[in-house]
Amino acid sequence: MRLHLHKKRSEAKQSFTQLAGVSLLKPLKGVDPNLISNLETFFTLDYPKYEILLCVQDTDDPAVDVCKKLLGKYPNVDARLFIGGKKVGINPKINNLMPGYEGAKYGLVWICDSGIRVKPDTLTDLTNHMTEKVGLVHGLPYVADRQGFAATLEQVYFGTSHPRSYISANVTGIKCVTGMSCLMRKDVLDQAGGLVAFAQYIAEDYFMAKAIADRGWKFSMATQVALQNSGSYSIGQFQSRMIRWTKLRINMLPGTVLEPVSECFLASLIIGWAAHHVFRWDMMVFFMCHCLAWFISDYIQLTGIQGAPLCFSKLDFAVAWFIRESMAVQIFLSALWDPTISWRTGRYRLRCGGTAEEILDV
């Protein structure tokens, strides 16, 4: 993992994709303290040919003023602002992006969430991986250094549990992609029906990836992470996000019901029980040793993904890791209890297979 992430870009590869134009689709709703600084990093990308398509659903959204400020500050950057969206389904992100997608002029489309910040060479890194047989390039989700325990908890999760399953799935050929930062071939999306075809799903990223894979294209993971840097975060927000993601996975992939056994405490209990009955080893001693080995492995993995010194102490890591692992089963049970989710300004009832219907207040 450390050998793949944080690599320096290859000059040979850079020349291969130097003239590949990219249309960046940026869905925006509301503002947080980091929005303008995050968004500005896209205006300073070191890439020869790209456009920024800023998409805001509502005319009175404060994000409009942020966009106009940056458009005025960087008049030489090819950027446009689309306001109003176009309702084509229940997915608010797709509805918001539709005018920008229809106005995109390049063959590569980069859909990137509002909370992501990038380095000047991030787009070059993505296009370096868009080789002849690749149809989608994605970034491993991670979190920027921020202050507070809620930030530490989120960073520990995205450096331990999440990449463990994310990287394992991609290494074994399972298509596991999050839509935080995805570079895709527009003609392949158009063959699948364009963005409209995915407006019936809440987890549009999963179904876009599936459509690309079904057409014989490969995936590639960038060497730079998709760095989340939201200025608004709390333990409650983190928990709600995890429950929402789990609900989506349960409805899309029934095998998700086995997910709890992949978490440290439950897995250690099961393996400890098996070791006791097969080898007559002490169950609790085995449980503690297994948890300790898991804990150390997670710390090593986190430092590898970070690629730099952590902004919190080993004690902070230990506390955040223990709390995150303790929350896992509760998050799963909460997801099973209620099939509805709240996302952005809407509430939705999930259906088996990944489709959803909006719950309208009467």
Side-chain angles (χ1 to χ4, degrees):
M1 176 177 57
R2 185 186 287 270
L3 292 175
H4 178 79
L5 295 176
H6 313 295
K7 276 184 179 179
K8 297 296 182 183
R9 70 187 187 188
S10 166
E11 294 300 325
K13 284 186 176 182
Q14 184 186 6
S15 62
F16 174 76
T17 58
Q18 191 170 11
L19 298 179
V22 176
S23 296
L24 165 62
L25 288 171
K26 202 72 175 169
L28 302 170
K29 184 173 180 63
V31 298
D32 67 47
N34 293 345
L35 178 63
I36 190 166
S37 61
N38 289 338
L39 202 52
E40 190 167 11
T41 61
F42 292 86
F43 283 79
T44 57
L45 285 166
D46 181 17
Y47 195 79
K49 189 189 298 184
Y50 75 103
E51 62 175 345
I52 302 175
L53 308 174
L54 305 165
C55 303
V56 184
Q57 184 71 46
D58 302 315
T59 56
D60 58 350
D61 193 311
V64 172
D65 292 333
V66 172
C67 294
K68 290 180 177 178
K69 181 177 180 180
L70 290 172
L71 290 172
K73 185 176 180 180
Y74 296 94
N76 295 325
V77 174
D78 185 1
R80 287 176 283 166
L81 173 61
F82 297 85
I83 303 174
K86 180 180 179 181
K87 188 169 180 59
V88 293
I90 56 98
N91 187 307
K93 180 177 177 180
I94 295 290
N95 292 338
N96 190 10
L97 289 176
M98 279 304 300
Y101 182 82
E102 292 173 346
K105 62 185 179 183
Y106 293 125
L108 296 179
V109 174
W110 181 20
I111 299 179
C112 191
D113 287 351
S114 61
I116 300 293
R117 70 178 296 115
V118 294
K119 298 177 181 179
D121 63 341
T122 295
L123 185 50
T124 300
D125 177 57
L126 287 167
T127 54
N128 277 346
H129 289 80
M130 187 62 78
T131 53
E132 186 177 345
K133 297 181 179 180
V134 172
L136 183 152
V137 181
H138 56 106
L140 173 69
Y142 190 53
V143 184
D145 293 343
R146 297 170 298 175
Q147 297 300 312
F149 182 75
T152 300
L153 179 65
E154 198 170 14
Q155 196 163 354
V156 167
Y157 169 73
F158 280 103
T160 59
S161 178
H162 188 272
R164 184 167 57 245
S165 56
Y166 194 93
I167 295 173
S168 298
N170 281 282
V171 168
T172 56
I174 300 172
K175 306 306 180 187
C176 181
V177 172
T178 65
M180 295 179 195
S181 177
C182 283
L183 182 70
M184 295 169 280
R185 295 182 184 271
K186 189 173 185 293
D187 59 339
V188 180
L189 283 178
D190 288 338
Q191 290 170 18
L195 288 190
V196 177
F198 310 102
Q200 62 181 315
Y201 307 108
I202 295 296
E204 79 293 330
D205 48 0
Y206 170 81
F207 290 98
M208 283 193 285
K210 184 178 184 300
I212 292 172
D214 289 345
R215 283 159 178 77
W217 294 91
K218 296 182 178 180
F219 295 175
S220 180
M221 189 168 71
T223 57
Q224 291 188 22
V225 296
L227 197 63
Q228 304 167 78
N229 188 41
S230 173
S232 175
Y233 51 92
S234 68
I235 295 176
Q237 287 176 315
F238 169 77
Q239 190 174 30
S240 296
R241 187 185 190 191
M242 295 301 102
I243 292 173
R244 185 176 73 247
W245 284 7
T246 305
K247 289 179 180 180
L248 290 170
R249 291 197 299 274
I250 290 172
N251 280 270
M252 293 185 303
L253 304 167
T256 303
V257 296
L258 299 176
E259 200 170 270
V261 300
S262 68
E263 299 290 352
C264 176
F265 293 157
L266 188 54
S268 297
L269 277 175
I270 294 172
I271 297 173
W273 175 84
H276 172 71
H277 283 272
V278 175
F279 303 108
R280 298 301 173 187
W281 294 346
D282 187 283
M283 179 175 173
M284 290 310 298
V285 171
F286 189 93
F287 171 81
M288 296 299 294
C289 291
H290 192 269
C291 287
L292 178 61
W294 196 303
F295 172 82
I296 293 171
S297 297
D298 273 355
Y299 185 79
I300 294 171
Q301 178 179 277
L302 173 62
T303 57
I305 293 174
Q306 173 81 357
L310 295 169
C311 66
F312 46 83
S313 67
K314 291 183 177 65
L315 178 59
D316 290 333
F317 167 77
V319 174
W321 182 89
F322 179 82
I323 291 175
R324 211 300 304 176
E325 293 295 336
S326 301
M327 293 169 62
V329 174
Q330 179 265 325
I331 286 172
F332 182 80
L333 293 176
S334 297
L336 282 177
W337 183 259
D338 181 11
T340 65
I341 66 169
S342 297
W343 184 41
R344 300 201 176 193
T345 58
R347 290 183 65 243
Y348 306 88
R349 181 176 291 106
L350 298 175
R351 297 170 176 166
C352 186
T355 59
E357 61 176 338
E358 188 171 5
I359 300 173
L360 301 174
D361 295 329
V362 180

